[in-house]
Amino acid sequence: MIFSIRLLLIHIFFQKTTNRMSTIMKTIYTKIKHRSESMPIKPHSTDSIPNQNLNKDITIQLVQPESSPDTDYVISRAFYPIFTIAIIAFDLFLLMLIYIVQQGTTITSDTWIKMGAKYVPCMKPLYSQTEQDVYNTQLKTQCELFFLPYQFFRFITPMFLHGSITHLISNLVYQALVEALLEGRYSMKILCLCYLLFGFSGNLMSALYNPKTISFGASGAVYGLVLFCIVDHIFRIFTIDDCHEKKRQFLMTFLVIPYFIMTIYSDVDCSDHTDHAAHIGGSIIGVLLAICLCKTPEFIVNRVPHGRIGVQSIALSLIFIYFVITLLIFYYLIPVNLK
C-alpha cells in the first residue's frame, strides 16, 4: 500500500515536471519566433551585399585596367637583360679565343681572316681569271674552304670580333646601356633580329666602301641600336601624355646621343681605324626599323595613307630595297682585286 502511494506520487511529480518543461519550451519558442519576426536575420548571400561593393570586389580581382601608352611605359613588365648579358659574354669569349689562337695580344691579319673578319676576297670571286689563278691558293689558306669564295657569313661574324679590351669596352658600354633601355620594352627575339640586321648592314656598307680592307667590330650594330633607341624615345615624347614621362624620355634620349656625336668626330676605341661606312650602314637600318617597330606619333600616322600599317609598309619596303640594291652593287658592280 505504501509502495503504491509512492509510485503514484512519483508519477504525479514527473507529470507536473513534464508539463512545466513543455510550458517553458513553448514560451521560449514563442519569444524566439516573435524576435525573428520583429528583427529578421539576413542570410549570408550575395543578395544581401550591395551591388556597388560586389561590383567593386569583382573589378579589383578579375578586371585589369585598360592599357594606354602611359601605362605601357610606366608599368613595365619585369625582365632580365638576357640578350645584353649573352652578347657581352659571347664577345668576351671570342676575344679570349682570338688571343689563344694568336698566342698573344698582337693579332695578325691572317688570324683575323681565319676568325671571320670582313675580307671581301673571301666573300666573292676575284675580278680577273689571272688573279684567281695567282691568288686562289693563298686565299684558300687564308679563308679556309668553307663556302669559298662566297663566305656570306662574314657579313655577320665581324660584329662579334674586337681588336683589344679597349675596343671591346668602348662598344659594350653604350651597347649595354642601349640594350638595357630597349630590352624592357621589346622582346629578346626582336632585339636579336634587329642587332643582326644592324651589324649585317654595317658590314655590307663597309664592304662596298672599303673592299680591300680587313674590318671587324660591333660599331655598325651599336650605331643601329643607338639610332633605334633615339627614334624610339623621340616618338614616345609625342605619344605620352604625362609631362613627367615626357621629361624622362627627353633626358634618356641624351644618354645615347653623346656617343653618336662623339664617334663621328673622334676615335673612341683608340684603334686608329674607325670604319665610318659601317656606322652609316648600321644607322640607316636602325632608323628604318625604329619607324617600323616603334609607336609612331599621330601627326605622322594621320598624314600617311592607311595610317600605322602604311608607315610600317613604307619602312619595310625601304629596308628591302636598300638590301637588294646594296647586295647587287656588291656582287655585280664592284670589282675585287688584290693588286
Side-chain angles (χ1 to χ4, degrees):
M1 182 69 178
I2 297 173
F3 180 74
S4 300
I5 295 172
R6 287 179 179 178
L7 287 177
L8 181 61
L9 291 174
I10 292 172
H11 176 72
I12 294 172
F13 175 76
F14 275 106
Q15 187 175 5
K16 289 183 178 181
T17 304
T18 306
N19 293 335
R20 188 175 182 181
M21 291 295 295
S22 176
T23 304
I24 294 172
M25 293 299 295
K26 288 181 180 179
T27 305
I28 294 173
Y29 175 77
T30 304
K31 290 181 178 181
I32 293 174
K33 185 178 180 181
H34 178 72
R35 183 175 298 179
S36 64
E37 288 178 356
S38 61
M39 298 179 61
I41 299 175
K42 296 182 180 180
H44 295 284
S45 64
T46 56
D47 296 334
S48 64
I49 302 174
N51 292 334
Q52 183 177 359
N53 295 335
L54 180 62
N55 293 335
K56 184 178 180 181
D57 293 340
I58 294 175
T59 302
I60 292 174
Q61 293 178 3
L62 300 179
V63 179
Q64 297 179 353
E66 296 182 358
S67 60
S68 64
D70 297 342
T71 57
D72 288 343
Y73 179 78
V74 178
I75 307 175
S76 59
R77 59 183 178 84
F79 75 99
Y80 297 96
I82 299 175
F83 177 72
T84 304
I85 295 173
I87 292 295
I88 293 174
F90 190 62
D91 289 348
L92 286 171
F93 169 76
L94 285 182
L95 181 60
M96 295 299 104
L97 182 62
I98 291 172
Y99 286 160
I100 293 172
V101 172
Q102 183 63 49
Q103 297 181 351
T105 57
T106 303
I107 305 170
T108 63
S109 59
D110 288 341
T111 301
W112 283 122
I113 294 174
K114 288 181 179 180
M115 293 301 297
K118 185 220 77 183
Y119 187 52
V120 174
C122 299
M123 302 165 69
K124 58 183 291 188
L126 296 175
Y127 180 67
S128 64
Q129 186 64 38
T130 303
E131 283 194 338
Q132 293 181 20
D133 296 337
V134 173
Y135 294 106
N136 267 351
T137 304
Q138 176 185 347
L139 290 176
K140 288 178 181 179
T141 303
Q142 289 180 323
C143 306
E144 306 295 339
L145 298 178
F146 189 66
F147 288 135
L148 188 71
Y150 295 100
Q151 294 184 342
F152 194 77
F153 61 87
R154 292 183 184 272
F155 288 120
I156 301 294
T157 51
M159 73 177 74
F160 303 107
L161 304 176
H162 296 85
S164 63
I165 293 293
T166 305
H167 185 201
L168 176 62
I169 292 175
S170 66
N171 281 329
L172 288 185
V173 168
Y174 271 90
Q175 181 176 329
L177 172 63
V178 173
E179 288 172 357
L181 292 174
L182 295 176
E183 196 167 353
R185 201 171 296 149
Y186 301 94
S187 66
M188 187 175 66
K189 293 181 180 179
I190 291 177
L191 279 182
C192 183
L193 178 61
C194 290
Y195 186 77
L196 293 177
L197 288 176
F198 299 154
F200 179 88
S201 176
N203 291 320
L204 177 58
M205 190 64 70
S206 175
L208 291 175
Y209 190 76
N210 302 308
K212 293 184 179 181
T213 61
I214 299 171
S215 65
F216 47 85
S219 58
V222 173
Y223 254 75
L225 285 172
V226 169
L227 266 295
F228 186 99
C229 187
I230 291 174
V231 173
D232 176 74
H233 283 77
I234 291 176
F235 279 4
R236 283 181 176 272
I237 291 174
F238 294 98
T239 56
I240 291 177
D241 297 328
D242 188 4
C243 294
H244 294 289
E245 289 302 322
K246 287 179 181 288
K247 293 177 181 178
R248 186 183 178 195
Q249 294 294 320
F250 187 78
L251 293 175
M252 290 175 70
T253 304
F254 278 92
L255 289 176
V256 293
I257 286 180
Y259 176 85
F260 179 74
I261 298 175
M262 187 167 48
T263 52
I264 294 176
Y265 298 101
S266 63
D267 183 19
V268 294
D269 57 7
C270 304
S271 63
D272 297 326
H273 300 289
T274 303
D275 194 348
H276 292 292
H279 297 171
I280 294 173
S283 299
I284 292 173
I285 298 301
V287 172
L288 292 177
L289 278 178
I291 295 173
C292 179
L293 297 176
C294 301
K295 183 176 177 58
T296 312
E298 291 297 328
F299 68 87
I300 297 178
V301 173
N302 294 334
R303 297 184 180 182
V304 177
H306 306 292
R308 170 75 174 154
I309 298 177
V311 173
Q312 291 178 330
S313 300
I314 293 173
L316 288 174
S317 299
L318 291 175
I319 292 172
F320 178 78
I321 293 171
Y322 165 79
F323 278 125
V324 169
I325 291 176
T326 51
L327 287 172
L328 287 176
I329 293 174
F330 174 74
Y331 280 108
Y332 293 103
L333 300 181
I334 295 183
V336 179
N337 56 73
L338 297 178
K339 292 182 180 180

